[in-house]
Amino acid sequence: MVAAAESPDGLVEVTAGVFGDLRGLWLDPRVRADLDGVGARVLLATRIAASAAAWSAAGVPRGTPVGDLAFDPVLREIDRRAAEPRPSTVDDRPVPVVDHRALRRELERLREAIAEIRETARSTDGAVTVTVGGRGELLDLVVDRRSRHADAAVLADRVLATSRLAVARVGDRLRGVS
């Protein structure tokens, strides 16, 4: 699920996923005059788009708290199953015992581990630096002044490519979380 949003001044438009992962970026050519503000504009628009995507994914009205879309539904289901009575056999076969508390603890541990992950990537020319979190969410974006000479579309592509590189590094780290 993705949504689009723009910065309040209309100079930046992003498409982002429910966790704030940057999927698309458009920059107005006028944005080059204020490169120091590009990162803040992109971050704000990304958060707005991520919220809209989350509300849509959860099927709730705008402004409604949706919680953690990755873990909360699973944890609620574990709690629901832990509360229901379980037969010891079905058709004379033993039913495996599931330790719901241990499963819940492990998922909580995994959620905390993911929340601690941060990865930063730099563009090949060193002019763009992107930091993302464990879910690929955009946390920081710095655009160096030397990008002032870059075409806005080229700069947007550079930001997206650098974001994807940081997300790929997060993926590598996630494979190590078990």
Side-chain angles (χ1 to χ4, degrees):
M1 183 67 64
V2 297
E6 65 179 35
S7 61
D9 60 9
L11 296 178
V12 170
E13 184 177 309
V14 304
T15 305
V18 296
F19 298 116
D21 45 315
L22 189 59
R23 306 282 184 91
L25 176 62
W26 174 84
L27 300 174
D28 186 292
R30 294 174 293 162
V31 81
R32 293 181 324 190
D34 180 21
L35 289 178
D36 293 335
V38 172
R41 285 181 179 97
V42 172
L43 284 168
L44 177 60
T46 301
R47 289 184 180 122
I48 293 168
S51 293
W55 292 321
S56 183
V60 299
R62 285 182 170 272
T64 305
V66 294
D68 184 335
L69 292 174
F71 284 92
D72 287 352
V74 177
L75 292 170
R76 280 193 297 274
E77 181 63 13
I78 289 170
D79 293 343
R80 186 190 68 74
R81 289 184 183 210
E84 44 180 55
R86 304 298 256 170
S88 58
T89 61
V90 172
D91 296 331
D92 294 328
R93 289 182 292 166
V95 174
V97 176
V98 175
D99 186 346
H100 292 96
R101 279 180 275 185
L103 183 57
R104 186 177 225 297
R105 280 192 308 273
E106 181 59 20
L107 284 174
E108 291 283 0
R109 185 198 65 75
L110 182 59
R111 175 167 43 189
E112 289 173 18
I114 291 170
E116 295 297 317
I117 293 175
R118 302 278 184 279
E119 282 294 331
T120 299
R122 282 191 173 56
S123 60
T124 53
D125 65 356
V128 173
T129 305
V130 174
T131 301
V132 299
R135 297 172 189 228
E137 68 275 23
L138 184 63
L139 299 175
D140 193 29
L141 168 62
V142 177
V143 178
D144 190 281
R145 291 178 185 268
R146 64 189 130 163
S147 294
R148 187 175 318 277
H149 303 293
D151 176 79
V154 170
L155 180 56
D157 288 344
R158 194 172 291 151
V159 169
L160 280 171
T162 307
S163 176
R164 289 184 187 116
L165 177 59
V167 168
R169 290 178 181 169
V170 163
D172 292 342
R173 294 234 350 240
L174 287 173
R175 283 187 264 297
V177 174
S178 56

